Structures are given as structure tokens and as C-alpha cells.
């Protein structure tokens, strides 16, 4: 006996056909976002396997679906007209379609006429599998959006260079001037001592749409819920940090050679910081790598590049011309009497050069 009271008695088969089509289409969109936008091979393969595993193979079902299908007579045809602002909105809409379709299919698979052909437990389990995939997909999309914000002026809030001044106040003044990223760096205090400060800075930056990162310490970045961590070439390995951090967190890496830059990119860094470009008053012992390394790195990597080391307003244009996406500073801001004015001058130079 045919299920349902729709056209010619095929109502429920039409419902199943529509939801299997919707499910496959939505999973394919998410699979292609993973493949072409995120370029994540593992995530793409997992979406593909889920999509293939949920495609009905039973000839009986295929025949029922085709016979029941009436696209021209679908009263809901063309009803959805919502706008999509970006790839995240597209992913959200299609993730919702996957969830809804799986629930409909799971419920209808309980019907006695359908249950011999559809495994209810399979679709129930698929929903939970998808929840994990969805979480990972959106975390990676959020990280990608953060990576695209690595532009402009990047303040390294070095607590020792601050010379006892209130770090939160300094950060607020820098944000008022137009800084885009702030990194907390302290080589003396423990992570436990720094955690309250890091949390205050994270809240301030979040309220101001400024990225907040922590230097060296993955534990502190996690505790403060920072946007990410910045590591040196001899610090905690990038690939190990990636295992510990949520997928939406950024990892930056300082490099002094092209080989280090390549390795950082291969291990999962979201950006590399090249320097010291010029002699630095903050780190007088640092090796000066010059603009050539910046140009070479830009020629090989598509990741955002941050130039650091001895950069003042008069040098902004040449580091951007050499390939930098962002300019990191310490003393040019923290040694200024008026932090906001110093930041505004640097931001203006960046905007002019860009």
C-alpha cells in the first residue's frame, strides 16, 4: 500500500524524495566550501563520505521517488528567497537544511511501509556525525575570517616595554587610534599572574572588533579565550599548538629565514611574522633580516605577512611595498607620550601606502 495522502497517494514518498534531494544538495554545498574555500582535504573527504553514505541505493526507493516526483506541481516551489551575505551565511543555511532533512527522513523511516527500506538508526547517527562536522566547519570558517583581518597596524603590547604603565589603558588608547591587532607579550610573569590581564584585554578587544593574541603561551591563550597565539621558531611547535587549540583560533609564527616560513605554513600557521626588518630598540640582539626576506616570503607564501622590527612611520611604505600585510610595532607606540596620536600617525601612513 502506498504511504500518504498526497497526489495519487504518494504524499509521503514525495516528502522523502524532496528531503533526500535537499540533503544531498546541502551536503554538496558544504563539501565544496570545505574543498574550494577552506581547501581542507580531510574535512572535504568526511563530508563526501557522509553524503555518499546517505544517498539511497535501494531500487525500490528510487522507483517510488521518481514516480511520486511532481516538481511542477510543488506548492512550495520558489518560496525560499533569503539573502546570503558571505560564505558563512551560505554554510549556515545549508547546515540547517541538512539538519531538517535528516530529521524528516528519520521520522518517516519509522513508518511501517518505509522502515524496511530505510534504517532509522542510520539517520539518527548521521545527525550526530553531522553536528561534529558542522562545528568543525564553522570554526575553520571563523578562523579564515580572522585571518583575513590580519591587516593594518599590529601592536605588540610588551609589558616590560610598557614600563609599569597600565596595559589595559594603553590598549584602549591604541584601539582609539585605529590599531587592528594586539598581542600581549610578557617574558617575566607567569601565566597565572597574567591571566586576569589577558582576560581584560580579550574583552576590550572583542568589544572593539580588534584581534587579540597571546605571545608564546598556549595555556594563557586558552584560558583567556584569545583569538590566537603567536609562537617563535624555537617555542612550542605550531603543529602541536594546532592540536591543542580550537579550530577557530589563529596561530602566528615568527620567522627569520625562508625555510622557517615554509615550515610554519606547512605545519598550519595562519600568518608569519618576518623580522627583524631593521635594527630594533626593543630587541637590539635580534638578527636583522632586511626587506629581501620579506619579498622572498611574499613570493612563496599566500599567508598574511607581518613585518616587525624597527619600523616607524617613515618605514611603513617600504615594508608594505615589499609584501607585508600588517606592520607590527612596539617602541614606536609604547615609547610615545601620546599613544593614540602615535597609532593614528602610523595608521595614516599604512592607509596612504595601501
Amino acid at each position: 500500500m502506498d504511504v500518504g495522502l498526497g497526489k495519487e497517494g504518494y504524499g509521503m514518498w514525495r516528502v522523502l524524495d524532496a528531503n533526500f534531494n535537499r540533503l544531498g544538495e546541502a551536503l554538496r554545498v558544504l563539501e565544496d566550501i570545505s574543498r574550494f574555500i577552506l581547501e581542507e582535504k580531510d574535512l572535504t573527504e568526511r563530508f563526501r563520505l557522509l553524503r555518499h553514505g546517505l544517498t539511497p541505493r535501494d531500487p525500490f526507493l528510487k522507483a517510488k521517488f521518481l514516480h511520486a516526483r511532481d516538481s511542477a506541481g510543488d506548492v512550495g516551489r520558489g518560496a525560499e528567497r533569503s539573502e546570503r551575505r558571505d560564505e558563512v551565511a551560505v554554510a549556515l543555511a545549508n547546515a540547517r537544511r541538512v539538519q531538517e532533512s535528516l530529521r524528516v527522513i528519520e521520522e518517516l523511516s519509522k513508518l511501517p511501509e518505509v522502515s524496511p527500506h530505510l534504517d532509522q538508526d542510520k539517520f539518527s547517527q548521521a545527525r550526530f556525525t553531522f553536528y561534529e562536522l558542522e562545528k568543525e566547519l564553522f570554526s575553520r570558517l571563523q578562523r579564515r575570517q580572522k585571518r583575513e583581518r590580519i591587516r593594518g597596524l599590529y601592536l605588540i603590547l610588551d609589558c616590560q616595554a610598557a614600563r609599569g604603565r597600565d596595559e589595559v589603558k594603553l590598549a584602549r588608547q591604541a584601539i582609539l587610534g585605529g590599531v587592528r591587532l594586539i598581542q600581549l607579550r610578557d617574558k617575566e610573569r607567569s601565566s597565572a599572574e597574567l591571566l586576569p590581564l589577558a582576560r581584560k584585554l580579550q574583552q576590550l578587544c572583542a568589544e572593539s572588533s580588534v584581534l587579540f593574541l597571546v605571545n608564546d603561551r598556549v595555556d594563557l591563550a586558552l584560558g583567556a579565550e584569545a583569538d590566537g597565539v603567536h609562537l617563535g621558531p624555537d617555542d612550542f611547535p605550531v603543529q602541536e599548538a594546532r592540536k591543542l587549540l580550537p579550530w577557530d583560533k589563529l596561530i602566528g609564527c615568527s620567522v627569520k629565514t625562508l625555510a622557517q616560513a615554509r615550515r610554519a605554513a606547512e605545519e598550519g600557521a595562519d600568518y608569519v611574522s618576518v623580522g627583524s626588518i631593521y635594527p630594533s630598540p626593543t630587541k637590539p640582539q635580534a638578527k636583522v633580516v632586511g626587506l629581501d626576506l620579506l619579498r622572498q616570503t611574499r613570493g612563496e607564501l599566500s599567508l598574511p605577512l607581518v613585518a616587525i622590527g624597527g619600523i616607524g612611520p617613515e618605514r611603513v611604505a617600504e615594508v608594505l611595498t615589499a609584501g607585508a600585510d600588517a606592520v607590527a610595532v612596539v617602541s614606536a607606540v609604547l615609547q610615545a607620550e601620546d599613544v593614540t596620536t602615535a597609532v593614528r600617525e602610523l595608521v595614516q601612513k599604512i592607509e596612504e601606502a595601501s
Side-chain angles (χ1 to χ4, degrees), residues 28 30-40 44:
R28 187 54 187 257
L30 300 178
E31 181 184 331
D32 283 351
I33 288 174
S34 302
R35 179 182 177 185
F36 296 110
I37 294 178
L38 292 174
E39 297 182 321
E40 295 282 358
T44 300

Side-chain angles (χ1 to χ4, degrees), residues 12 20 26 39 59 68-69 78 82 85 107 124 139 141 156 181 190 221 227 230 234 267 295 303 320 336 338:
M12 288 301 100
F20 270 111
E39 297 182 321
R69 189 173 300 168
S82 57
R85 298 181 307 277
E107 290 300 314
S124 175
S139 293
L141 282 171
I156 297 177
L181 306 93
S190 68
D227 291 302
H230 184 89
D234 301 319
E267 293 180 353
R295 294 190 189 99
L303 294 178
L320 292 177
D338 188 328

Side-chain angles (χ1 to χ4, degrees), residues 48 58 98 122 136 154 168 278 285 289 295 310 347:
R48 188 189 70 81
D58 189 332
V98 171
K122 175 181 178 179
E136 188 171 333
Y154 183 154
V168 176
Y278 307 102
Q285 77 284 2
V289 299
R295 294 190 189 99
V347 169

Side-chain angles (χ1 to χ4, degrees), residues 27 30 40 62 97 116 146 152 158 170 179 184 197 199 201 215 236 253 273 285 296 304 346 349:
L27 282 172
L30 300 178
E40 295 282 358
K62 290 184 177 182
R97 292 175 74 200
K146 289 178 182 178
D158 186 294
L170 289 171
V179 75
L184 174 63
L197 170 60
R199 285 177 170 164
L201 290 171
N215 182 265
F236 198 75
C253 188
S273 178
Q285 77 284 2
Q296 292 169 8
L346 285 160
K349 293 294 185 181

Side-chain angles (χ1 to χ4, degrees), residues 158 185 256 276 278-288 309-310 331 335:
D158 186 294
R185 183 169 75 186
K256 301 181 186 303
S276 181
Y278 307 102
S280 169
T282 308
K283 288 188 174 182
Q285 77 284 2
K287 177 184 176 182
V288 176
S331 57
Q335 291 183 4

Side-chain angles (χ1 to χ4, degrees), residues 104-120:
V104 171
I105 294 169
E106 181 186 346
E107 290 300 314
L108 292 187
S109 68
K110 299 174 184 177
L111 295 173
E113 294 86 348
V114 179
S115 59
H117 306 281
L118 290 177
D119 183 353
Q120 173 191 338

Side-chain angles (χ1 to χ4, degrees), residues 312-332:
E314 73 286 353
R315 287 169 164 166
V316 164
E318 55 191 18
V319 297
L320 292 177
T321 300
D325 297 292
V327 177
V329 294
V330 183
S331 57

Side-chain angles (χ1 to χ4, degrees), residues 249-269:
K249 303 303 181 185
L250 295 170
I251 298 177
C253 188
S254 296
V255 301
K256 301 181 186 303
T257 67
L258 192 56
Q260 289 177 348
R262 290 178 187 137
R263 184 168 64 252
E266 290 169 358
E267 293 180 353

